[in-house]
Amino acid sequence: MYAVGIQTTDRNHLCAVSESDRRTQIHMDQQERPAAGHMRAQDCRSERRIRRNRLRRQQEMRKRFRMFLMTVFLIAACSFTLSAFRSNAKNEIQTSGKYYKSITVTSHDTLWSIAQQYMDETHYDTVTDYINEVRYMNSLTDDSIHYGEYLVIPYFENDPD
């Protein structure tokens, strides 16, 4: 006879199984099983328990998969929000504050030279606008200023935020 496989009859004993023995064993297993639809009550309960366990495992796997997806989504949303916040913080426009200073007019000062020295182009459209503000703040009737006078002038400086 030709040996096809190895079958264990008990834990310590191994024996060779021939092809004909295998066919006989399969035929006997089929005879012992009841026909479809004629299952014993214990077998029906066992089958139902197996199906319930399979469904429970599938539901648990679906639940874990949904939790995994929600976790990934939450991490992605948080990282996107934080990166957007950090990029906005870097690109913020620096704010500048308007300050006032008192200066003493020297012999070579004019309103135009003071405007060139202290005027900020981002806050005033023209030099004339700056000069008009200086004239208004100091109650000047014309553009003439004199040596030794004190003038209050506006200037802008970036806030250190």
Side-chain angles (χ1 to χ4, degrees):
M1 257 199 234
Y2 180 74
V4 173
I6 297 180
Q7 177 182 10
T8 54
T9 54
D10 82 61
R11 292 184 182 213
N12 299 325
H13 180 69
L14 296 177
C15 64
V17 178
S18 69
E19 182 67 32
S20 62
D21 288 343
R22 179 182 266 182
R23 277 193 226 127
T24 305
Q25 187 177 4
I26 292 172
H27 183 64
M28 287 174 64
D29 287 343
Q30 289 173 350
Q31 287 176 352
E32 288 176 7
R33 272 194 225 141
H38 300 293
M39 296 180 74
R40 296 183 304 189
Q42 182 181 359
D43 292 340
C44 287
R45 285 191 302 264
S46 177
E47 289 292 325
R48 275 185 259 149
R49 190 181 76 238
I50 290 170
R51 276 193 221 110
R52 281 193 310 263
N53 287 341
R54 184 179 303 133
L55 286 173
R56 192 170 14 97
R57 284 191 307 265
Q58 288 174 349
Q59 289 173 345
E60 185 67 26
M61 290 299 290
R62 286 184 192 122
K63 182 179 173 183
R64 287 182 180 175
F65 182 69
R66 284 191 302 263
M67 289 299 288
F68 171 75
L69 286 179
M70 289 187 333
T71 302
V72 168
F73 176 76
L74 183 64
I75 290 171
C78 287
S79 65
F80 178 77
T81 303
L82 288 175
S83 66
F85 178 75
R86 288 181 60 202
S87 68
N88 281 346
K90 290 179 183 175
N91 294 332
E92 282 185 15
I93 298 173
Q94 290 185 345
T95 58
S96 59
K98 187 174 187 178
Y99 299 96
Y100 299 95
K101 183 177 190 179
S102 177
I103 62 166
T104 305
V105 178
T106 62
S107 61
H108 299 292
D109 280 342
T110 63
L111 287 178
W112 285 88
S113 67
I114 294 171
Q116 288 175 347
Q117 186 176 359
Y118 293 103
M119 185 182 93
D120 185 7
E121 289 84 18
T122 58
H123 295 92
Y124 296 99
D125 293 332
T126 62
V127 176
T128 307
D129 292 339
Y130 182 80
I131 292 173
N132 287 337
E133 184 174 351
V134 170
R135 286 180 55 198
Y136 176 76
M137 289 173 49
N138 291 289
S139 301
L140 299 175
T141 56
D142 57 9
D143 289 345
S144 64
I145 54 175
H146 305 286
Y147 174 79
E149 283 184 319
Y150 291 99
L151 294 178
V152 176
I153 58 163
Y155 69 98
F156 288 88
E157 192 171 283
N158 291 338
D159 289 337
D161 291 340

